[in-house]
Amino acid sequence: MTDISKQDRVLIFDTTLRDGEQSPGATMTHAEKLEIASLLDEMGVDIIEAGFPIASEGDFKAVSEIAMNSKNSVICGLARASFADIDRCMEAVKHAAQPRIHTFIGTSPLHRAIPNLTMDEMAERIHETVTHARNLCDNVQWSPMDATRTEEDYLCRVVEIAIKAGATTINIPDTVGYTAPRESAALIRMLLERVPGADEIIFATHCHNDLGMATANSLAAVEAGARQIECTINGLGERAGNTALEEVVMALKVRNDIMPYQTGIDTTKIMNISRRVAAVSGFAVQFNKAIVGKNAFAHESGIHQDGMLKNAETFEIMRPQDVGLAGTSLPLGKHSGRAALRAKLGDLGFELADNQLKDVFVRFKELADRKKEVYDDDLIALMRVGEDPENDRIQVKRLRVVCGTEGPQTAALTLMIDGVGSATEATGDGPVDAAFNAVKALFPHNARLQLYQVHAVTEGTDAQATVSVRMEEDGRIVTGQSADTDTVVASVRAYVHALNRLLVRREKSAPGEDRREVSYTDPS
Ligand code: KIV
Ligand code: ZN
């Protein structure tokens, strides 16, 4: 194991269960909080902010129980600058092997106005409350809320007071997400230079994402000397959220060449906890979110997929396995090329010659134009579809159906029969029956429909339906299949596919020839 010196080690402080849970609508149940805390502990989070014990009985119970169950992480509770808050917080975190009290007060002019305290009165409050917390607990964190909009001289003054009163960590919050990376770094540097005793404690950075700069601001603070990053899973948090744990941790890992700092996080646990937090908070992760978004390791364009198949590093700066994913995803869509299609079909067990691939590729592109994403099952359906429709004697040219609660359902169909187009309109008991009646009207036959089966082979409302039909005429048995996002279209094509086979069979076999075979393969 590498010996990580204190200078290079950055502590990860996760506040998903406190700041994250404060996001409107993200409330978690007691059991969910315990589950997330245990996942955070397992993944190597140094400090878990488990809640705000005085806020409610539920928060108190959650923080207490998380504290009891914690294995490796420090368990922290939040408290305002009041003795009652701090006492309640200690009551909850005391069960942890490593408890921490985190107390805070807003120090900017806007925030000082709320309790209507003068600068001196607030300084005195900070001295009293931090001293009180430190008398209860060896591990005390203090935060000047809205630090980035607090006058620098006053900030230095109150930080010094908190350090002298016994705070072991000083957190510098960008409460409103107003700061920029250069300022974030300058602020930490300024505090380290000007505040007596600053080198004895740990500076933390706590950034909100109102301008989309939270992760950049946190990393800039680290480069300036902060050694604790406060963050949440998926960037959950008030308004635009907080610095995302997965982003800072992976940035430090992937760009260790320019940011030589280590965390204790097992990054392979990232994807699992991200999914659990999304599920329990009800805050779905946006598809293109860094690291944990559905598309973060997905490549769709032909050029990208081709590059990925040759060398993953062409378009990936980290391995999906590093964050706990099984592998890269090459979703097939309208931008995919032949190389990706061949590779995917090969994985599915279809080895194709070049000319076969050419044909399948045309059908694949037609499908991809209609569907957002083409799944494995779509491809299987595609591979099973009619052999060479161009040579079919009967071809479906156009179909329009009217269906709904008010019958009769009607189908307007145009078929090309031996190169000649003919059209009709028919009604029926439902759109499929109407469409089949139209086929019969245009191409009269005595074949009996023995089986009609619809199978939605993919999920979602844009799923492909595979339709199979079986028909019998004078003992000849034929089947037809088709797949389409429109079930009625798939049904008519499958029916017509079976009729085409019947025409071929009529030429090749005498009536009744199939009977023995059928009773053998299908005793029903
Ligand atoms: O954003 C903030 O200032 C906070 C404090 C309580 C640290 O969350
Ligand atoms: Zn916050």
Side-chain angles (χ1 to χ4, degrees):
M1 250 185 76
T2 14
D3 176 27
I4 301 165
S5 76
K6 192 180 164 232
Q7 273 310 300
D8 296 338
R9 179 72 153 84
V10 172
L11 300 171
I12 296 296
F13 176 109
D14 182 277
T15 182
T16 306
L17 297 172
R18 198 278 299 167
D19 210 324
E21 215 236 356
Q22 268 172 237
S23 338
T27 313
M28 301 176 202
T29 66
H30 183 75
E32 287 165 349
K33 287 183 191 172
L34 296 189
E35 181 201 342
I36 299 300
S38 126
L39 293 175
L40 291 168
D41 198 330
E42 270 170 34
M43 88 185 294
V45 162
D46 300 284
I47 306 112
I48 298 173
E49 187 161 55
F52 193 172
I54 206 164
S56 70
E57 195 54 37
D59 253 41
F60 179 81
K61 271 167 72 182
V63 177
S64 309
E65 224 172 298
I66 290 169
M68 282 171 209
N69 296 340
S70 63
K71 295 194 178 76
N72 306 304
S73 310
V74 170
I75 302 300
C76 172
L78 186 68
R80 287 166 299 188
S82 91
F83 284 16
D85 270 47
I86 292 168
D87 291 345
R88 189 74 174 147
C89 180
M90 189 58 198
E91 270 303 297
V93 296
K94 70 176 184 198
H95 305 286
Q98 306 175 76
R100 173 182 291 190
I101 296 172
H102 175 195
T103 179
F104 75 100
I105 194 163
T107 52
S108 67
L110 283 164
H111 284 260
R112 288 197 305 265
I114 295 168
N116 200 17
L117 292 177
T118 65
M119 281 178 161
D120 288 346
E121 285 164 346
M122 181 165 284
E124 182 49 30
R125 172 82 67 87
I126 293 163
H127 169 74
E128 282 170 0
T129 50
V130 176
T131 305
H132 182 68
R134 185 57 203 262
N135 285 338
L136 298 174
C137 186
D138 284 346
N139 192 336
V140 173
Q141 170 167 328
W142 180 72
S143 296
M145 186 163 74
D146 206 14
T148 53
R149 293 193 300 172
T150 299
E151 304 90 327
E152 285 196 353
D153 287 348
Y154 189 60
L155 188 63
C156 287
R157 179 180 167 195
V158 287
V159 166
E160 183 180 347
I161 289 171
I163 294 174
K164 288 208 171 113
T168 44
T169 299
I170 300 289
N171 176 36
I172 302 300
D174 182 26
T175 306
V176 290
Y178 178 71
T179 206
R182 198 190 303 165
E183 280 176 331
S184 174
L187 191 57
I188 298 290
R189 223 173 270 125
M190 185 278 293
L191 290 166
L192 278 165
E193 274 164 21
R194 285 184 54 186
V195 176
D199 53 345
E200 304 288 313
I201 53 94
I202 287 192
F203 274 104
T205 172
H206 176 114
C207 300
H208 282 265
N209 204 30
D210 300 67
L211 291 174
M213 294 194 281
T215 296
N217 288 338
S218 301
L219 294 171
V222 167
E223 291 194 88
R227 286 296 174 269
Q228 176 177 302
I229 299 178
E230 306 210 355
C231 48
T232 58
I233 302 292
N234 299 342
L236 206 64
E238 291 268 21
R239 307 181 309 281
N242 292 61
T243 297
L245 179 146
E246 60 278 5
E247 290 178 12
V248 278
V249 168
M250 289 313 289
L252 290 175
K253 186 173 172 139
V254 174
R255 294 312 312 274
N256 204 252
D257 54 334
I258 56 156
M259 295 182 285
Y261 315 103
Q262 317 287 324
T263 72
I265 299 294
D266 175 355
T267 62
T268 64
K269 309 248 191 254
I270 284 178
M271 204 47 89
N272 180 42
I273 193 163
S274 160
R275 286 179 180 159
R276 286 306 298 147
V277 168
V280 303
S281 66
F283 277 49
V285 175
Q286 77 199 49
F287 281 11
N288 58 342
K289 182 146 179 66
I291 321 291
V292 291
K294 179 175 177 277
N295 291 352
F297 294 92
H299 310 262
E300 199 202 284
S301 91
I303 296 170
H304 285 223
Q305 292 187 337
D306 193 39
M308 287 298 298
L309 289 164
K310 290 179 177 128
N311 178 357
E313 282 180 33
T314 322
F315 288 106
E316 273 181 4
I317 57 165
M318 58 198 135
R319 294 177 329 135
Q321 291 82 357
D322 292 342
V323 299
L325 273 175
T328 293
S329 128
L330 299 181
L332 292 179
K334 66 176 180 182
H335 301 115
S336 304
R338 268 166 232 257
L341 180 63
R342 188 197 284 278
K344 181 67 102 184
L345 286 172
D347 287 348
L348 296 172
F350 297 101
E351 296 303 334
L352 299 185
D354 286 351
N355 59 336
Q356 286 174 302
L357 180 69
K358 214 169 130 202
D359 289 347
V360 175
F361 190 65
V362 173
R363 296 213 300 277
F364 159 73
K365 282 281 177 179
E366 277 168 15
L367 177 66
D369 265 341
R370 281 179 285 134
K371 270 193 112 232
K372 284 195 203 86
E373 207 174 303
V374 179
Y375 300 99
D376 291 0
D377 287 344
D378 293 319
L379 290 176
I380 295 169
L382 204 68
M383 293 302 295
R384 289 185 184 149
V385 179
E387 293 76 37
D388 191 0
E390 300 248 324
N391 292 336
D392 285 349
R393 285 183 55 196
I394 312 171
Q395 293 177 9
V396 180
K397 232 31 225 168
R398 186 176 171 274
L399 172 69
R400 244 197 126 66
V401 293
V402 177
C403 59
T405 49
E406 271 111 71
Q409 285 75 26
T410 56
L413 176 71
T414 308
L415 293 181
M416 296 294 289
I417 302 169
D418 293 326
V420 180
S422 44
T424 193
E425 208 169 293
T427 56
D429 190 5
V432 174
D433 191 47
F436 283 13
N437 287 341
V439 174
K440 263 186 234 156
L442 291 174
F443 187 79
H445 56 272
N446 294 324
R448 209 169 45 85
L449 188 67
Q450 285 191 326
L451 175 97
Y452 167 73
Q453 216 167 38
V454 183
H455 177 53
V457 291
T458 53
E459 287 168 22
T461 49
D462 66 345
Q464 261 222 335
T466 299
V467 176
S468 304
V469 299
R470 189 168 68 205
M471 296 166 82
E472 187 258 354
E473 183 197 65
D474 292 333
R476 295 186 189 93
I477 305 288
V478 286
T479 58
Q481 291 89 24
S482 187
D484 199 279
T485 44
D486 185 318
T487 310
V488 187
V489 171
S491 302
V492 171
R493 290 216 173 107
Y495 192 178
V496 168
H497 181 209
L499 281 178
N500 278 304
R501 284 179 159 178
L502 188 64
L503 295 180
V504 175
R505 193 67 69 81
R506 274 184 195 164
E507 284 167 20
K508 287 189 181 163
S509 65
E513 211 175 63
D514 289 344
R515 275 199 189 112
R516 267 163 296 138
E517 203 186 315
V518 170
S519 60
Y520 172 71
T521 52
D522 184 0
S524 68

